[in-house]
Amino acid sequence: SIVMQMPYVDPEQVFATGWSQGGGLTIACASLEPRIRKLAPVYPFLSDYRRVWEMDLAKDAYAELRTYFRHFDPQHKREDEIFTKLGYIDIQYLAERIKGEVLMGTGLMDTICPPSTQFAAYNKITAPKRLEIYPDFGHEGLPGHHDKIFQYFLGNY
């Protein structure tokens, strides 16, 4: 909302984009600021922590989950409580608040931010949305996707 008040900003033309952590923050910001008109998250991080845990992928970007349990709950006696608390910052639970149009990019081979965790957020978006799938790509550059985002923000895609 600070950006919206700047004299050189047209509050009707504010867009957001980001990849990985930036994608998660894009979803979080757009869910908290309904005037963001268009957003383009790419393989968003910070979604569906429990799914990451159940897939045994609590490594790389989600390594802190395993570290937390090792140091503070080694027998997982509070596992449900911990995942409930993580739900307060899980972007999948914010996504339904998004009002702006969404273009999301996902690589189906992503082991850093697994596609199913990304879909957990995407599927809860009720605003107009579109998903670009890259079947053979993981957590890496998605060919031509920067151009798609640019054209999307210009209104040509």
Side-chain angles (χ1 to χ4, degrees):
S1 103
I2 293 171
V3 170
M4 305 292 189
Q5 297 171 12
M6 294 179 173
Y8 49 84
V9 172
D10 178 353
E12 299 296 317
Q13 296 295 318
V14 174
F15 307 149
T17 187
W19 297 52
S20 193
Q21 183 175 0
L25 292 172
T26 295
I27 290 174
C29 288
S31 70
L32 298 171
E33 177 48 79
R35 295 175 293 173
I36 294 177
R37 200 174 79 144
K38 289 185 177 184
L39 55 149
V42 181
Y43 42 70
F45 174 50
L46 306 172
S47 184
D48 207 348
Y49 297 96
R50 185 171 296 273
R51 174 78 176 140
V52 169
W53 184 256
E54 290 168 352
M55 293 174 66
D56 197 25
L57 290 174
K59 56 184 181 174
D60 301 318
Y62 289 95
E64 288 81 5
L65 291 173
R66 190 165 311 284
T67 300
Y68 182 87
F69 281 116
R70 288 176 53 87
H71 290 282
F72 301 106
D73 189 18
Q75 294 183 304
H76 292 247
K77 292 179 179 178
R78 295 178 26 245
E79 183 175 316
D80 287 338
E81 174 191 348
I82 289 163
F83 283 110
T84 296
K85 287 181 179 177
L86 283 171
Y88 294 125
I89 59 167
D90 188 326
I91 62 166
Q92 71 170 312
Y93 300 117
L94 296 172
E96 69 183 15
R97 298 172 49 126
I98 292 170
K99 301 292 183 213
E101 182 183 337
V102 179
L103 171 67
M104 188 163 127
T106 298
L108 293 183
M109 297 294 127
D110 194 338
T111 58
I112 306 295
C113 296
S116 59
T117 67
Q118 298 173 50
F119 299 151
Y122 182 82
N123 290 338
K124 289 178 177 74
I125 296 169
T126 58
K129 61 186 178 181
R130 185 169 13 170
L131 183 62
E132 291 289 326
I133 297 287
Y134 294 80
D136 301 315
F137 288 82
H139 205 79
E140 59 189 308
L142 304 177
H145 200 68
H146 284 288
D147 291 333
K148 286 180 184 178
I149 292 170
F150 186 70
Q151 292 301 318
Y152 165 66
F153 284 164
L154 287 174
N156 299 327
Y157 182 77

